[in-house]
Amino acid sequence: METFLDNVAATAQKISSPLQVNALENEAIYIFREVVAQFERPVLLFSGGKDSITLVRLAQKAFWPAKIPFPLMHIDTGHNFPETLEFRDQLVQELGVELIIRKVQDSIDEGKVVEETGKYASRNSLQTTTLLDAIEEFRFDACIGGARRDEEKARAKERIFSVRDDFGQWDEKNQRPELFDMLNGKIEHGQNVRVFPISNWTELDVWSYIQQEGIEIPSIYFAHQRDTFIRDGLIWSAQDDVVFRADNEKVQERTVRFRTIGDMSCTAAVESQADSIDKVVAEIRDSRISERGARIDDKRSEAAMEKRKQQGYF
């Protein structure tokens, strides 16, 4: 079976021929190289989702045949889908790169954050404290993330090099201009930068790239049978002890897949028959609803994402 590394080697030659590489890939590779050129301690924030997996492929192409010159870091909520964690460990083993894991549970145990309770309890927002502590621990000055501008309106306000202050906070009203693709990596002591190489990509762009490159992704992105229940018009997994379920919320087996992978307690599934990448691409092309429509944490308020980002969220 062809491995992730074999696949990269087979496609890496495309870099030498601009006519064969789409503009988005070229831009992302340029951004990765600028990060390594301008910063001393970069890290790639890795969730195990399609966007961060795409970042890994782009990073490999940017520095091939050398290894990726920075570690991957996963902020583990403790409520991740098992399929995601299995894929993460397999990929890291194949790549031979360093993986840093920091756990939200440790932040809870240390009294830095308080576990939410109730019907809509989630650990998603608690990741912020764990992330900021990890950035300080390792003195990372550039954190590479897979945010895209089509995900949620607050994402569209970000620059590609988005500065965070010495408290890890983001000021959306005070950002640097990025003219003519000139990326300014100069920061003050204590500051760090969030970097978004696929900022100009859409969900369809990411899936088309996965399709083009033959990139392997976690199985829950494809249609499968799962015990689920309905709440607030959304389909929730009932195959774990994480998601709160009331006695009157009936469990039923459905054919579903996940468009986005996050904390299980805030990530809903969608009914789908798309069991291959070709079918997923076709489904996304016809979709009129954002993938974030299945993320309950974005529905807490009109500005939920923006408030979390101001506090230091991804």
Side-chain angles (χ1 to χ4, degrees):
M1 178 180 292
E2 189 175 48
T3 67
F4 192 91
L5 290 174
D6 293 333
N7 202 293
V8 172
T11 59
Q13 298 302 320
K14 292 182 181 180
I15 298 176
S16 63
S17 178
L19 294 176
Q20 294 179 315
V21 184
N22 64 57
L24 292 173
E25 182 186 66
N26 276 334
E27 178 188 52
I29 288 173
Y30 161 71
I31 292 167
F32 268 112
R33 291 172 176 170
E34 284 296 302
V35 168
V36 171
Q38 297 192 45
F39 296 97
E40 295 181 2
R41 299 182 67 84
V43 65
L44 194 155
L45 304 178
F46 187 79
S47 68
K50 65 184 182 308
D51 297 321
S52 58
I53 293 169
T54 296
L55 288 181
V56 169
R57 171 57 59 88
L58 291 165
Q60 286 191 292
K61 284 195 170 188
F63 305 108
W64 186 267
K67 286 187 177 181
I68 296 174
F70 39 74
L72 276 56
M73 182 165 70
H74 182 207
I75 303 301
D76 185 354
T77 67
H79 292 170
N80 297 101
F81 290 97
E83 297 94 331
T84 306
L85 297 182
E86 181 181 349
F87 181 89
R88 177 200 69 188
D89 295 341
Q90 175 187 333
L91 178 60
V92 168
Q93 184 177 14
E94 285 186 9
L95 297 178
V97 297
E98 179 186 3
L99 173 66
I100 298 169
I101 301 173
R102 287 298 177 267
K103 298 181 178 181
V104 170
Q105 184 64 54
D106 291 337
S107 299
I108 295 171
D109 293 343
E110 293 166 7
K112 294 180 178 180
V113 294
V114 178
E115 180 94 70
E116 295 181 1
T117 59
K119 185 176 181 180
Y120 297 105
S122 171
R123 288 186 174 183
N124 202 48
S125 63
L126 304 186
Q127 296 179 85
T128 299
T129 297
T130 311
L131 171 64
L132 296 181
D133 285 348
I135 292 172
E136 183 175 0
E137 176 186 355
F138 293 99
R139 295 183 290 111
F140 292 129
D141 52 4
C143 300
I144 306 163
R148 307 186 321 270
R149 291 180 181 176
D150 73 320
E151 282 184 276
E152 203 275 345
K153 55 190 175 184
R155 301 285 204 195
K157 297 182 180 180
E158 292 272 22
R159 298 293 189 263
I160 292 175
F161 277 14
S162 186
V163 178
R164 300 305 199 263
D165 65 20
D166 51 1
F167 295 102
Q169 297 178 328
W170 173 61
D171 183 357
E172 78 283 2
K173 297 179 181 178
N174 183 25
Q175 298 191 78
R176 300 170 175 173
E178 289 181 342
L179 306 176
F180 311 110
D181 295 327
M182 299 295 290
L183 301 175
N184 180 3
K186 294 183 179 179
I187 55 176
E188 301 295 333
H189 179 72
Q191 292 181 330
N192 64 80
V193 170
R194 303 292 170 80
V195 181
F196 304 110
I198 59 173
S199 179
N200 290 324
W201 296 44
T202 65
E203 182 187 12
L204 181 58
D205 290 327
V206 169
W207 276 109
S208 296
Y209 192 71
I210 290 170
Q211 180 186 41
Q212 170 188 312
E213 296 288 310
I215 300 173
E216 187 177 354
I217 56 174
S219 60
I220 60 173
Y221 276 118
F222 302 112
H224 59 282
Q225 296 294 117
R226 180 176 288 261
D227 288 337
T228 61
F229 66 95
I230 302 292
R231 178 192 299 147
D232 301 330
L234 298 176
I235 303 172
W236 298 94
S237 174
Q239 293 187 187
D240 54 73
D241 297 324
V242 171
V243 183
F244 174 89
R245 180 170 58 84
D247 293 338
N248 63 344
E249 292 175 323
K250 182 180 178 181
V251 174
Q252 179 180 340
E253 188 177 70
R254 294 178 173 86
T255 303
V256 301
R257 72 178 193 86
F258 291 86
R259 286 180 66 180
T260 178
I261 295 178
D263 188 290
M264 285 189 287
S265 61
C266 65
T267 306
V270 295
E271 289 195 279
S272 173
Q273 298 295 324
D275 56 3
S276 68
I277 289 182
D278 290 348
K279 291 179 182 179
V280 168
V281 170
E283 182 179 271
I284 296 301
R285 184 176 289 114
D286 293 336
S287 176
R288 295 294 180 268
I289 301 174
S290 165
E291 63 184 301
R292 301 294 296 194
R295 293 291 290 271
I296 196 66
D297 51 323
D298 290 346
K299 301 178 186 297
R300 294 190 174 193
S301 73
E302 181 68 19
M305 171 66 82
E306 186 159 327
K307 289 179 180 178
R308 293 202 305 276
K309 289 178 70 64
Q310 289 169 349
Q311 295 166 357
Y313 186 74
F314 304 114

